[in-house]
Each structure stands twice: as C-alpha cells, then as structure tokens.
Amino acid sequence: MSNSTSVTGNEKKKSKGKRSPCSPSRVVHIRQITDGVTGAEVVSLGLPFGKVTNILMLRGKGQAFLEMASIDAAVSMVNYYALATPLLHNQPVYVQYSNYKELRTDNQHNQARPQPAPQCVNAVQHGNLGITSALAAEGGVLPSNGSVLRIVVENVFCPVTLDILYQIFSKFGLVLKIVMFHKNNQFQALLQYADATNAYYAKMSLDGHCIYAGCCTLHIDFSKLTNLTVKYNNDKSRDFTRTDLPFGDGQRNVETSLPTPFGPPGFAPALGFPQGAGPSVLPVPGALGPLMVTTSATPGHMTIPGIPGNSVLLVSNLNPEAITPYGLFILFGVYGDVHRVKIMFKKRGIALVQMADATQAQLAINNLNGQRLYGRVMHATLSKYQTIQLPREGQEDKGLTKDYSNSPLHRFKNPCSKNFQNIFPPSATLHLSNIPPSVTVDDLKNLFTSKGSTVKGFKFFQKDCKMALIQLGSVEEAVHALIELHNHDFGENQHLRVSFSKSSI
C-alpha cells in the first residue's frame, strides 16, 4: 500500500500471501475483488451490519478497505462472512480485519484516498445506515431514482408481514410508508423511504436475497410513484408518520393480529438480524443468503423468532348459516395442517382453528384475513387460547367441535411434499389434480356448475392429463368451490385435489 495513502494504525505493512489474524478493528480488509466491482457494491457488504463511515478502493490490487462506525459492527461482519463467503459479480471475496484502526480523510492529493461518508448531503442518519460516498469514489453520482421501491416476493412459503418488511428495510433508512397487496397472483409491496439514497442502497443490498432460508425471494425495483397515499393503518398498509389513521373495514390492526416485537419503531428487533449486529443465519447453498429467519431442521415446520408458539386462530365475521367445521378445515388446510376446529356454540359467526404450528397459523392469517366467505368478509387473527379443548362426554356441542389431528386430508404431513412449493393466496383460478382418465372437460365443468360456480375457462395440462386449471367467476366462487369439491369422490377410490393457482387461463 502506498505510503501516501492516509491511514493510521499499529502496523503499516504490505500483505504478502496469507495474513496472520489481526485483532478486531473498525477497518475491514476485503480481498480478491474482480475488475468492474464498484465501490457501492463493496459498501453493500457492510451496510447490513452497521454504519459505513469510509471506503478505500485499491483498484490495481483488487482490494478495498471499509471503515465501520463501530468495532461491534466490524466484528459482526467478519464473523458472518467467515462462515458465509460473500460474492461480488459471482466471484468470492474474502473479508478480514485490517491492521489499520481507522481510515483518515485528509486533503492530500492521493490517487487512492479514503472517501468519507457525507454528513449533510442526503444524510438521513437512521438505524444502522451510513450514507457513503462510494459512488463518488468512481467519480459518479447516485442515480436519480425516487424514494419508493416496488417489492415482489416470490416463493412465499413462510409468513411475510408488513412488520417483517419494516424490520428488513428499516436497516437502510427511515421507512415512512408501506402498502402490501397481491397483483397477478404475486405478493407485492410498495415502500417509501424518507430519502432516495436510502432506497438506492436498500435495492442494491437486498435485491435477490431471501427473507427465509430457501424461500421468500425479494425482487426490488424503483417505482414510478413519488409518494404513497395510505388511508388505513392496519396489517396491509401503514403510514409510520401518522398515528391517527383508522384501521379500515375488512382488516384488523396488526397489533391485534400479531402481538409480537415485530411492531413499528420503538420495538426491539425480534428477528435474527439484531440492531447493529448483522444477520445470524447462513445462506443456503447457491442462494444469495437469507436475511433474517431460519427454518428448523424438519422441512415444513419453520420456527420464527418473535412469533409466539400459539397455533390457534380466532376466525370471526363468519356466516353462521353456511359455515361448518369441515368447511373451515378444508379452507385453512390449504395453508397448513388443521388439527381441530371449534365453532362457538352461542356465537356461530366465530370459530377457533388450531393449526399444526405457529408458522402455519401465520401463513393462514396472511392469506385468508379479509377474504370474502359466504358473503361476509372473514377476519383471522391469533387467538389467546393455546389449544382447542374437545367437549367432555355428555357435553352439548351439536357437532361444532371437530378433531382432525389424524385426517388423511392433511396436505403437509409429508415433509417432502410438493405442496410446500404450491402455496398461493385465494384466486379465481383453481388447480385440479388426480383427475381420472375417464373424466372429461364437460364432466368437470358440470361438476363445478352444480355447486353454483360460473366456469370462465378450462384447460388440461398438456404434459399431464391428470391435472387442469379451471377459472371461475370470482375469487369468492373459487373459495366456495374448493371447500365443496376438494377430495370429491369420482368413485373407485379416486379423489379430486383442489388448490389455488398462481396462473390464469
């Protein structure tokens, strides 16, 4: 390293071969950087762990130095990447402590000089983000993007709530507003930062990463919107700058449906990405690395820090004339294995649904809360009860409490089941499978019509005539049809399988 480069430390040596381990330092040394990697991309390696205060790029040597705001942030970064080698431009880079204790910014005219983090221009200093001038190191400027990001989450096999998004994206700056919605059978969200620079670094750092190990992949781009209008503060939309907004109809306030530390500003982080400490989980092979939450060793049985172990749901605003325990078992069974269902004896519009675990319970809430069922908007939230008690012998119940613990209709009892990869929100298009060869298009259309459905489209899969897609008149029609016709008996022990599809005809 050139003597003209302004650094201070205990030693000033060139690195020859493999360096001996250094004691922890705020300055992190990154090696084997390929040509074409920008300073901004190097900075993105440090951002999840804390504020980045300086950067020094040594282009001819394929090396860089990042100065973190604290030793704790640097320790978290080095410890994490020691077990999970990061990639820049699909090539591994190596992270270790530097001998240098700081990168000094001075006015010397050096070819390579540490670039300070500006403290006033675009400087929304929030959370762990240090707005760096990494792009300025290349003689460039930050792109002229806006402060609103469009987020698409693919492979949503685990819960993705508004508060989880807040926890992830607030690491990169002050989040003002979030709106979540489903479009084209995809989970999407719009998120507005206080500053466009925050949005840029969030996109650069998070695009392509998984929220959970192996699923919930983030695809992020800049929205054309310059400002989000939020009318309600609930589990689908939030304006963090206003506490006076109503909850709105058809949706519960998130604080009633998710009483965990996932909440708005002021709550301590509850996920595996503690404030200023970086992620605590490792990337799965071939992935860009999960951001926050790990899954347990048993496939399909995820544990999420912060979500209580309660697997019992309180489902309300049901149509007492139409709802049955079996109907709730089939519908909620799309998102997990339902063990017990209880419709309240004196309040038939309220029910309890016990799922196999807390993750499945939250997944059901995410997909079914606010869904229309038999003419009413259903509410689903976590119950205060930990289990559903079966009626005592002789106790009047009228068949309103059912135990489905050993039901053969559980979709997720096999840990290797493909059903884990085919969990989608309610849609007007249904996926049909296990269709006998003797059953024709007209047979299936007539079957659905007989249950009150309007068939808008139908097609068999070209490669597998045992499967088909059927498009009905509305999402609510499809929900009713799934309840009525999942496990329909065609005779000779052949039963129809019905699920929601992400496709359309």
Side-chain angles (χ1 to χ4, degrees):
M1 191 159 155
S2 171
N3 289 332
S4 63
T5 302
S6 182
V7 293
T8 62
N10 297 330
E11 303 176 24
K12 296 184 178 180
K13 300 178 181 178
K14 290 185 178 181
S15 60
K16 296 181 179 180
K18 186 174 181 180
R19 295 176 54 168
S20 58
C22 301
S23 59
S25 163
R26 287 196 302 127
V27 181
V28 176
H29 182 206
I30 303 169
R31 299 179 292 115
Q32 297 192 20
I33 300 172
T34 58
D35 292 340
V37 172
T38 66
E41 290 169 318
V42 173
V43 167
S44 72
L45 295 178
L47 286 178
F49 304 92
K51 181 177 176 180
V52 179
T53 49
N54 278 331
I55 179 174
L56 172 62
M57 296 284 289
L58 302 179
R59 299 202 172 280
K61 298 182 178 181
Q63 299 180 33
F65 292 86
L66 278 187
E67 181 187 270
M68 306 300 289
S70 68
I71 287 182
D72 286 345
V75 169
S76 296
M77 180 178 176
V78 171
N79 288 347
Y80 179 70
Y81 290 134
L83 297 171
T85 303
L87 301 179
L88 289 176
H89 290 201
N90 294 317
Q91 296 298 317
V93 296
Y94 298 94
V95 178
Q96 62 194 28
Y97 299 116
S98 169
N99 284 328
Y100 305 113
K101 300 306 177 186
E102 68 175 301
L103 300 178
R104 179 185 297 162
T105 303
D106 55 30
N107 294 320
Q108 297 177 21
H109 298 287
N110 301 322
Q111 286 185 329
R113 192 175 68 211
Q115 299 293 325
Q119 298 302 308
C120 52
V121 180
N122 294 327
V124 177
Q125 301 298 333
H126 174 79
N128 295 325
L129 176 65
I131 305 300
T132 75
S133 60
L135 288 179
E138 281 103 38
V141 295
L142 283 170
S144 57
N145 58 272
S147 60
V148 179
L149 296 177
R150 185 175 74 94
I151 303 157
V152 176
V153 186
E154 287 189 346
N155 302 322
V156 185
F157 308 141
C158 299
V160 180
T161 66
L162 185 147
D163 296 283
I164 287 176
L165 291 179
Y166 175 83
Q167 288 287 346
I168 296 169
F169 284 85
S170 63
K171 301 298 175 186
F172 298 90
L174 181 60
V175 175
L176 300 183
K177 304 170 186 177
I178 302 176
V179 177
M180 300 193 315
F181 54 95
H182 281 92
K183 183 178 181 181
N184 300 327
N185 287 320
Q186 288 182 317
F187 179 101
Q188 299 191 29
L190 293 169
L191 183 145
Q192 182 176 345
Y193 278 106
D195 188 271
T197 309
N198 305 144
Y200 174 78
Y201 280 115
K203 178 187 184 302
M204 184 177 67
S205 300
L206 298 176
D207 188 29
H209 281 254
C210 297
I211 298 176
Y212 303 87
C215 70
C216 300
T217 307
L218 295 170
H219 297 286
I220 305 169
D221 55 28
F222 297 110
S223 171
K224 294 179 181 179
L225 299 174
T226 57
N227 184 58
L228 298 181
T229 300
V230 176
K231 296 181 179 179
Y232 304 113
N233 277 342
N234 54 36
D235 56 350
K236 299 298 183 186
S237 62
R238 195 84 56 82
D239 184 337
F240 294 100
T241 68
R242 294 185 59 184
T243 59
D244 60 320
L245 293 179
F247 300 155
D249 295 330
Q251 294 176 355
R252 299 288 237 192
N253 177 19
V254 71
E255 292 181 5
T256 65
S257 64
L258 189 63
T260 74
F262 282 154
F267 282 85
L271 304 175
F273 210 177
Q275 196 83 6
S280 62
V281 295
L282 303 181
V284 292
L288 287 167
L291 299 171
M292 305 228 169
V293 187
T294 54
T295 59
S296 66
T298 306
H301 289 81
M302 286 72 72
T303 54
I304 303 173
I307 292 183
N310 189 0
S311 60
V312 180
L313 303 175
L314 175 66
V315 186
S316 58
N317 202 36
L318 299 169
N319 185 336
E321 304 299 324
I323 201 64
T324 65
Y326 179 78
L328 291 172
F329 164 69
I330 293 296
L331 179 57
F332 281 78
V334 174
Y335 303 104
D337 292 337
V338 177
H339 284 190
R340 293 178 180 177
V341 178
K342 181 182 183 69
I343 295 176
M344 298 302 184
F345 185 73
K346 294 183 178 180
K347 294 183 179 179
R348 302 293 176 90
I350 300 175
L352 297 174
V353 178
Q354 184 173 338
M355 309 296 289
D357 59 40
T359 299
Q360 294 179 2
Q362 189 60 45
L363 195 58
I365 290 173
N366 288 356
N367 286 280
L368 295 177
N369 182 39
Q371 173 60 48
R372 290 189 67 85
L373 177 64
Y374 300 126
R376 295 193 177 187
V377 176
M378 173 174 55
H379 299 310
T381 184
L382 290 176
S383 168
K384 65 181 179 181
Y385 298 105
Q386 298 296 310
T387 187
I388 294 177
Q389 297 293 335
L390 296 176
R392 297 184 299 273
E393 188 174 348
Q395 181 181 355
E396 186 180 13
D397 180 69
K398 293 189 177 180
L400 296 177
T401 304
K402 295 290 185 181
D403 188 343
Y404 297 104
S405 301
N406 298 313
S407 172
L409 297 184
H410 285 165
R411 297 177 187 248
F412 307 100
K413 59 184 176 182
N414 179 1
C416 300
S417 170
K418 291 184 178 180
N419 290 333
F420 286 108
Q421 282 75 50
N422 292 290
I423 301 174
F424 304 109
S427 61
T429 304
L430 296 174
H431 179 274
L432 312 180
S433 60
N434 206 36
I435 302 170
S438 60
V439 174
T440 66
V441 173
D442 286 339
D443 291 335
L444 288 166
K445 286 184 176 180
N446 291 336
L447 177 63
F448 278 81
T449 302
S450 71
K451 301 299 181 182
S453 299
T454 304
V455 178
K456 297 283 190 178
F458 184 94
K459 71 174 182 181
F460 276 109
F461 281 51
Q462 288 184 343
K463 295 182 179 180
D464 188 349
C465 62
K466 291 183 178 180
M467 296 193 294
L469 295 178
I470 187 167
Q471 185 172 336
L472 304 182
S474 68
V475 174
E476 186 176 6
E477 274 191 23
V479 170
H480 298 166
L482 181 142
I483 291 172
E484 291 284 336
L485 293 174
H486 179 65
N487 201 46
H488 173 77
D489 189 357
F490 285 114
E492 299 182 3
N493 200 30
Q494 298 183 91
H495 295 83
L496 181 66
R497 298 286 178 259
V498 185
S499 57
F500 297 115
S501 173
K502 67 176 180 179
S503 306
S504 58
I505 299 175

